[in-house]
Amino acid sequence: MAASGGYNYRDGGQRGALRVDRPLSVNSNPKSSVKSKSLPGSGPRRNSTGSTGGGGGSAGAAAAKNDNTGVLGRVRVAVRLRPHNDEEMVADADFADCVELQPELKRLKLRKNNWDTDTYEFDEVLTEFASQKRVYEVVAKPVVESVLDGYNGTVMAYGQTGTGKTYTLGRLGEEDTAARGIMVRAMEDILADVSLESDSLSVSYLQLYMETIQDLLDPANDNISIVEDPKTGDVSVPGASLVEIRDQQSFVELLRLGEAHRFATNTKLNTESSRSHAILMVNVKKSVKGRDSALSSQNGNNSHVVKSLKAPVVRKSKLVVVDLAGSERIDKSGSEGHTLEEAKSINLSLSALGKCINALAENSSHVPVRDSKLTRLLRDSFGGTARTSLVITIGPSPRHRGETASTIMFGQRAMKVENMLKLKEEFDYKSLARRLDIQLDKIIAEHERQQKVFEDEMERISIQAQNRISDVERNYADALEKERLKYQKDYMESIKKLEEQLVITQKKHGSEKITNGHEDNGSNVTSSKESCRLHVEEIDDLTKLLQKETMLRKAAEEEVQNLKSQLTQWKRSEAAGNSEILKLRKMLEDEEHQKEKLEGEIARLHSQLLQLSFEADETSQQLDRSGPGKIGGLESLMTQVRQPQLKDSGNGEKASIAKLFEQVGLHKILSLLEAEDNDVRIHAVKVVANLAAEETNQERIVEAGGLTSLLMLLENSEDETIHRVAAGAIANLAMNETNQELIMTQGGISLLSMTAAHGKDPQTLRMVAGAIANLCGNDKLQNKLRGEGGIKALLGMVRCGHPDVLAQVARGIANFAKCESRASTQGTKTGKSLLIEDGALAWIVQNASNDASPIKRHIELALCHLAQHEVNAKDMITSGALWELVRISRDCSHEDIRNLAYRTLTSSPTFQAELRRLRIDN
């Protein structure tokens, strides 16, 4: 990571003033640089942006959808100047800055000497006073707006190590919100624009370390492959973790987790120098309102049911933020051991990126994209379909003028690269299928509910009607039977009374009163007739009542018939509904069948892609296995590369050793290590040590058994010279991580510890301490190294008192403490530091004020790393290390170490409590 802890970028420039760029024609070719003395009155060059922001977003989307031509957009480049650090203020106090900025003219002047300068023009020139907000608005915000409009976008930082790339991009701004970097501010704008209910937002965070892609969110996933679409050429990393983002806080936590897993180390130029390229990928899937495409119905009969089934339109875009590791010169950074290998890998990948940009700027027919995984990942950013914005960071120090000039020329060449921006829209058939499934389930559930309600209602009405009919019929029958019995009884009683009256009358009057009796008889008959007439009227009334009840019964029967007809009609409606549901199900089955066909086609294309990748890998392996006789001209090319290196080195001994290596062969040289003649073994081990100093020979030496032979010499030989040279060769081999594990497996640390215990020569002890110090920098070997006496051996060598030996011991302790601090941060280590358990803390405190600069610097770093783990705090207070931390936080000459000590003190509750108890103000 870049040394950004001490930067204090104050706000500068015009706030919120965004310059609207004029579009550049396709055939335009911007100038890379002009001499200040040749064109004194020339105005600033106009930029070609191919901007899609603002109101042009929808028009660009329509154009990209109607034809696949895209929108032309040049790579925009801004330059940002880092302020002086404390070291430069002292070292460069008598020298003028190597650059002069003219932000109002978008120009930068680079001093060649006291009287001549070169002038360069950029899209934006940001002074050392420019705020983080200003940098985001002019560099990244147009790219973020394009991503929200459906275009891919890239924001990248390039520059020398220590010039503020990570500060510009990845600063979280937890202590000061104004210091937030581009990553945090870009996510704030994206979350403000998208709707999490209908849109999706996911993030991947990777690092490219030593040509290996590793997942910063899942450290166990450390070998991710790159997949390229053979049709579109799109590059993806399907093996990387993809995390859904719901709010800003979760995104900041992911960034913090990724930064904890990123590789960094301390160099002369930067205490926390990033050793890998960090790549943040933000995938945005955004629904487009009002752009739904009507889905035509295949069957015309169901158009009255399904009037508009619309597939939503979504825009898929990707924002890539790339924090490149800083380029560095080995002689200035002081890299050695494994750090040197990291620097070589970084410079090779940046060189490959520069070659690709040169080829694109010159419209070359061949662009060497496959030379590095970095260029493969950035294939869409330069010469592809993404809108790209590049910020190059430089420093003002004249000591680094060469690196500053190289960075400026990189930006000038990048400005000539033109991309073809393309909108990525597609129909979201999966979303449509899910929506149809939900609607169908709702319709089926609603229909079943209504059908159940209808059936229950019909059953209730039918039962109620049957009960009413039964009651009416029963009441009618009972009433009719009662009336019949009543009238029949009355009639019989009336007849009986008449007969009795008639018999009585006949007996009373006798025969003599026949005449009068006839008259009375007539009157009685008349009264009987009158009584019969009354009975007949009552019978008529009963008949009318019976007819009325009959009519009521018929009305009830008609009502039952109406209910039955309604029930039949409802059943017909249910049958029609079932037929519509069957039709909808058939449509859904057709959609699923079409979906299966599309998935099968995708699987077939994927298998073809895998086959092509496999064939390409086999071809590459065959080329790698081919000997010099199979590839013409390879041996001569290697000879041409080797000879200038020997000539430039000026070292005749190395040239003679290389010639001896070519003529005699490695196996014969290694066999001389077992010779009986001691002088022969000394010369042989010196040859092997010189060969091991070259990285290209190390793997061959290990494969031929050279490492085993060197360890045997340490074990069996008693000659001090052999011990010194063999330890130096092992130290060279220990720069490689694979060799480190082999050394530990073959008992190398025990042999080195034994050599250290018996050694007296300071140079021998320096070599042994250097080898152990390289092994201390491996996270995987911590416990084993300590278990086999590595820490004890380092502390035992301080008896020599030689400054070179003490410097190597301090470096080893600093590397070990840093690995422990990283393991504690990642949660893989708990408990007290192994250094403290082995008694190293007392020596560290004793030498914290050593006058030798290398010793003092490593000791101060070791104290800071030990203090970062809270469980070590009590031991550090007891041993007096707390006083040294307070001194470092106030008086250390290195600003980065001073800031690290201050942050460690303020973040530790135990240290803060002790300082308050002692009444010390920190």
Side-chain angles (χ1 to χ4, degrees):
M1 294 180 291
S4 56
Y7 293 171
N8 184 18
Y9 287 96
R10 290 170 289 175
D11 196 4
Q14 299 178 355
R15 293 184 176 270
L18 296 178
R19 182 163 59 91
V20 179
D21 300 315
R22 297 182 181 179
L24 190 68
S25 63
V26 177
N27 297 324
S28 64
N29 186 15
K31 298 177 290 182
S32 61
S33 64
V34 295
K35 295 286 185 178
S36 58
K37 56 187 177 182
S38 60
L39 293 176
S42 61
R45 172 179 36 79
R46 299 295 182 183
N47 303 316
S48 71
T49 62
S51 175
T52 57
S58 58
K65 185 175 180 182
N66 295 335
D67 54 39
N68 200 24
T69 57
V71 180
L72 193 65
R74 177 178 59 78
V75 174
R76 288 176 53 85
V77 181
V79 59
R80 186 181 193 184
L81 178 65
R82 171 181 60 75
H84 287 279
N85 55 34
D86 294 342
E87 182 181 356
E88 291 173 348
M89 288 182 179
V90 175
D92 302 335
D94 298 332
F95 302 95
D97 292 348
C98 67
V99 292
E100 177 186 349
L101 303 185
Q102 296 177 332
E104 66 281 357
L105 299 178
K106 305 292 187 293
R107 288 182 179 177
L108 177 150
K109 290 185 177 181
L110 178 65
R111 296 181 183 275
K112 295 175 63 177
N113 45 48
N114 291 334
W115 56 88
D116 196 7
T117 60
D118 286 337
T119 302
Y120 301 93
E121 297 180 356
F122 290 93
D123 295 302
E124 291 291 340
V125 175
L126 303 168
T127 68
E128 65 270 28
F129 306 110
S131 65
Q132 291 281 74
K133 179 180 179 182
R134 166 69 175 170
V135 174
Y136 171 73
E137 288 178 346
V138 302
V139 174
K141 190 169 185 178
V143 178
V144 174
E145 291 175 348
S146 295
V147 171
L148 293 174
D149 287 337
Y151 297 86
N152 288 344
T154 301
V155 178
M156 188 171 70
Y158 177 92
Q160 183 190 9
T161 181
T163 54
K165 298 182 295 301
T166 303
Y167 178 87
T168 301
L169 297 181
R171 190 65 179 266
L172 299 182
E174 295 174 319
E175 299 176 356
D176 183 8
T177 57
R180 290 168 299 159
I182 286 176
M183 291 182 182
V184 178
R185 294 178 185 269
M187 183 56 67
E188 289 176 352
D189 286 353
I190 292 174
L191 285 172
D193 187 82
V194 303
S195 173
L196 297 179
E197 297 179 356
S198 59
D199 305 333
S200 66
L201 189 62
S202 58
V203 166
S204 297
Y205 200 11
L206 311 173
Q207 71 173 350
L208 179 59
Y209 176 71
M210 301 285 284
E211 282 301 303
T212 302
I213 301 177
Q214 302 178 4
D215 195 337
L216 288 175
L217 305 181
D218 183 10
N221 189 10
D222 57 359
N223 191 10
I224 303 174
S225 60
I226 301 174
V227 177
E228 297 183 11
D229 191 330
K231 290 186 178 179
T232 63
D234 293 340
V235 177
S236 61
V237 281
S241 300
L242 200 62
V243 181
E244 293 288 338
I245 298 299
R246 307 299 298 177
D247 52 45
Q248 183 70 13
Q249 183 61 32
S250 62
F251 175 70
V252 174
E253 291 296 330
L254 286 179
L255 289 183
R256 186 183 294 107
L257 176 63
E259 286 299 317
H261 294 150
R262 192 175 176 189
F263 286 99
T265 189
N266 56 310
T267 65
K268 291 182 179 179
L269 296 178
N270 191 352
T271 304
E272 293 292 328
S273 175
S274 301
R275 313 311 291 169
S276 64
H277 308 297
I279 302 166
L280 176 69
M281 296 182 178
V282 182
N283 298 286
V284 182
K285 183 178 179 182
K286 188 177 180 183
S287 300
V288 184
K289 298 181 180 179
R291 293 287 309 279
D292 292 348
S293 175
L295 182 66
S296 60
S297 177
Q298 296 180 356
N299 191 349
N301 296 329
N302 58 6
S303 59
H304 65 284
V305 179
V306 185
K307 293 184 179 180
S308 60
L309 298 176
K310 299 181 179 180
V313 177
V314 296
R315 290 176 178 173
K316 292 184 178 180
S317 57
K318 179 169 65 176
L319 173 64
V320 180
V321 183
V322 184
D323 181 9
L324 294 174
S327 60
E328 61 183 60
R329 291 187 178 179
I330 307 304
D331 55 345
K332 291 186 178 182
S333 65
S335 299
E336 58 183 11
H338 187 65
T339 306
L340 177 61
E341 301 304 318
E342 293 174 337
K344 291 180 180 179
S345 177
I346 293 170
N347 290 338
L348 283 175
S349 60
L350 294 178
S351 176
L353 177 61
K355 291 179 181 178
C356 290
I357 290 179
N358 289 343
L360 290 170
E362 297 171 0
N363 293 323
S364 175
S365 58
H366 171 67
V367 180
V369 177
R370 296 187 175 274
D371 286 358
S372 171
K373 288 187 178 180
L374 176 63
T375 54
R376 292 179 65 190
L377 287 172
L378 298 179
R379 182 174 184 176
D380 192 48
S381 304
F382 293 97
T385 62
R387 181 173 187 180
T388 301
S389 184
L390 171 67
V391 55
I392 59 173
T393 57
I394 60 176
S397 175
R399 292 179 296 161
H400 305 306
R401 184 193 176 282
E403 290 82 350
T404 301
S406 176
T407 302
I408 292 173
M409 294 309 301
F410 180 90
Q412 289 289 303
R413 288 190 294 268
M415 291 176 67
K416 298 181 181 180
V417 178
E418 293 185 346
N419 295 348
M420 185 62 67
L421 278 61
K422 291 185 179 180
L423 185 68
K424 296 187 178 181
E425 282 187 350
E426 62 182 30
F427 296 119
D428 192 358
Y429 289 107
K430 292 183 179 179
S431 175
L432 174 62
R434 289 194 299 268
R435 191 174 68 186
L436 290 177
D437 288 339
I438 295 173
Q439 290 181 354
L440 180 59
D441 292 339
K442 289 182 179 179
I443 292 173
I444 293 174
E446 180 66 20
H447 173 71
E448 291 178 350
R449 186 184 64 80
Q450 292 181 358
Q451 183 178 4
K452 183 67 170 58
V453 172
F454 174 74
E455 290 176 353
D456 293 343
E457 184 67 18
M458 288 301 302
E459 184 177 0
R460 186 186 65 79
I461 294 173
S462 178
I463 293 173
Q464 185 178 2
Q466 291 292 338
N467 292 335
R468 289 182 60 186
I469 292 172
S470 299
D471 292 341
V472 170
E473 288 179 348
R474 184 171 59 255
N475 293 335
Y476 176 74
D478 292 343
L480 185 62
E481 183 64 20
K482 289 179 181 179
E483 290 295 330
R484 188 183 67 77
L485 294 173
K486 177 183 177 183
Y487 287 126
Q488 185 178 4
K489 182 179 180 182
D490 291 344
Y491 177 74
M492 294 303 295
E493 289 177 354
S494 299
I495 294 299
K496 186 176 180 180
K497 286 180 180 180
L498 289 173
E499 289 177 350
E500 290 177 351
Q501 289 179 5
L502 181 59
V503 172
I504 293 171
T505 302
Q506 287 178 354
K507 288 180 178 180
K508 182 178 180 181
H509 292 286
S511 56
E512 66 276 6
K513 294 183 179 179
I514 296 173
T515 306
N516 292 332
H518 283 295
E519 292 178 357
D520 293 336
N521 238 356
S523 62
N524 289 332
V525 171
T526 302
S527 63
S528 297
K529 288 181 179 180
E530 182 65 23
S531 177
C532 289
R533 186 182 63 80
L534 292 175
H535 286 301
V536 170
E537 289 179 356
E538 290 179 358
I539 290 171
D540 290 340
D541 292 338
L542 291 173
T543 303
K544 290 179 180 179
L545 181 61
L546 178 62
Q547 289 176 352
K548 184 177 180 181
E549 291 295 334
T550 304
M551 291 176 65
L552 290 174
R553 178 180 178 181
K554 289 181 178 179
E557 290 177 349
E558 289 178 356
E559 184 177 358
V560 171
Q561 291 295 330
N562 289 333
L563 291 174
K564 288 182 178 180
S565 63
Q566 291 180 8
L567 178 62
T568 303
Q569 185 176 0
W570 284 344
K571 287 184 177 180
R572 290 177 181 175
S573 299
E574 178 185 0
N578 288 334
S579 63
E580 294 297 337
I581 291 174
L582 291 175
K583 291 177 182 178
L584 287 174
R585 284 179 176 173
K586 187 176 183 306
M587 291 178 61
L588 183 59
E589 290 175 356
D590 294 339
E591 288 294 330
E592 290 179 350
H593 181 66
Q594 185 68 19
K595 175 184 175 183
E596 290 176 356
K597 288 176 62 179
L598 291 174
E599 290 178 348
E601 182 68 17
I602 292 172
R604 184 181 64 81
L605 294 175
H606 185 62
S607 63
Q608 292 180 358
L609 174 61
L610 291 177
Q611 182 65 25
L612 290 174
S613 300
F614 179 73
E615 293 176 356
D617 291 339
E618 284 188 345
T619 303
S620 177
Q621 292 174 3
Q622 290 175 3
L623 290 175
D624 292 339
R625 290 195 299 265
S626 299
K630 295 182 180 180
I631 304 179
L634 180 59
E635 183 178 358
S636 61
L637 179 61
M638 291 298 296
T639 303
Q640 293 173 5
V641 173
R642 188 183 297 112
Q643 288 176 355
Q645 292 177 347
L646 295 175
K647 182 177 179 180
D648 292 341
S649 67
N651 193 334
E653 183 181 357
K654 288 188 177 181
S656 62
I657 291 173
K659 183 177 180 180
L660 178 63
F661 175 66
E662 294 291 338
Q663 293 177 354
V664 177
L666 180 59
H667 288 282
K668 291 185 178 180
I669 295 175
L670 294 177
S671 65
L672 296 177
L673 296 176
E674 302 176 2
E676 296 181 358
D677 190 344
N678 194 51
D679 292 336
V680 173
R681 284 190 293 171
I682 291 174
H683 287 295
V685 74
K686 286 183 177 180
V687 171
V688 174
N690 281 280
L691 291 174
E694 298 293 333
E695 179 189 3
T696 56
N697 300 330
Q698 292 179 359
E699 183 177 358
R700 299 174 61 183
I701 291 173
V702 173
E703 290 178 353
L707 177 59
T708 304
S709 299
L710 291 171
L711 294 174
M712 289 179 62
L713 285 177
L714 286 182
E715 182 179 7
N716 299 327
S717 178
E718 298 180 356
D719 188 275
E720 188 78 17
T721 303
I722 292 179
H723 286 175
R724 181 180 67 254
V725 180
I730 294 173
N732 288 332
L733 295 177
M735 295 178 184
N736 184 279
E737 184 175 355
T738 303
N739 295 342
Q740 291 172 357
E741 296 179 358
L742 290 175
I743 292 171
M744 295 297 296
T745 303
Q746 298 181 20
I749 193 64
S750 299
L751 295 174
L752 289 171
S753 301
M754 180 182 67
T755 305
H758 296 91
K760 298 180 180 179
D761 181 28
Q763 295 305 318
T764 302
L765 295 178
R766 182 176 69 88
M767 295 297 181
V768 174
I772 298 178
N774 289 337
L775 295 174
C776 286
N778 193 317
D779 296 337
K780 304 175 183 178
L781 306 178
Q782 295 277 293
N783 292 325
K784 189 172 182 180
L785 187 142
R786 185 250 186 170
E788 295 184 6
I791 303 301
K792 295 288 187 182
L794 278 177
L795 296 176
M797 284 185 283
V798 301
R799 70 183 186 278
C800 173
H802 195 280
D804 292 341
V805 179
L806 297 181
Q808 294 299 325
V809 172
R811 184 171 69 88
I813 291 176
N815 288 340
F816 196 95
K818 184 172 184 179
C819 291
E820 280 193 326
S821 175
R822 185 186 301 129
S824 300
T825 303
Q826 297 174 355
T828 59
K829 182 187 181 305
T830 57
K832 189 185 300 183
S833 170
L834 300 179
L835 290 172
I836 296 178
E837 292 183 356
D838 280 357
L841 186 57
W843 183 83
I844 294 174
V845 174
Q846 180 182 356
N847 288 270
S849 301
N850 195 299
D851 295 334
S853 177
I855 300 174
K856 184 177 181 181
R857 184 167 177 265
H858 288 304
I859 291 296
E860 290 174 343
L861 281 174
L863 278 174
C864 292
H865 289 309
L866 286 174
Q868 288 179 344
H869 197 25
E870 186 68 18
V871 74
N872 299 331
K874 292 184 178 179
D875 292 284
M876 297 190 71
I877 293 173
T878 305
S879 64
L882 177 59
W883 297 100
E884 294 299 332
L885 280 174
V886 173
R887 180 190 61 78
I888 294 170
S889 67
R890 295 176 176 177
D891 304 331
C892 181
S893 60
H894 298 278
E895 181 183 6
D896 48 0
I897 300 178
R898 186 170 67 249
N899 292 334
L900 180 60
Y902 177 78
R903 290 198 302 270
T904 303
L905 286 173
T906 55
S907 62
S908 172
T910 305
F911 288 154
Q912 287 297 307
E914 181 67 13
L915 291 175
R916 286 194 297 270
R917 187 183 70 83
L918 298 175
R919 298 181 180 179
I920 297 176
D921 185 13
N922 194 38

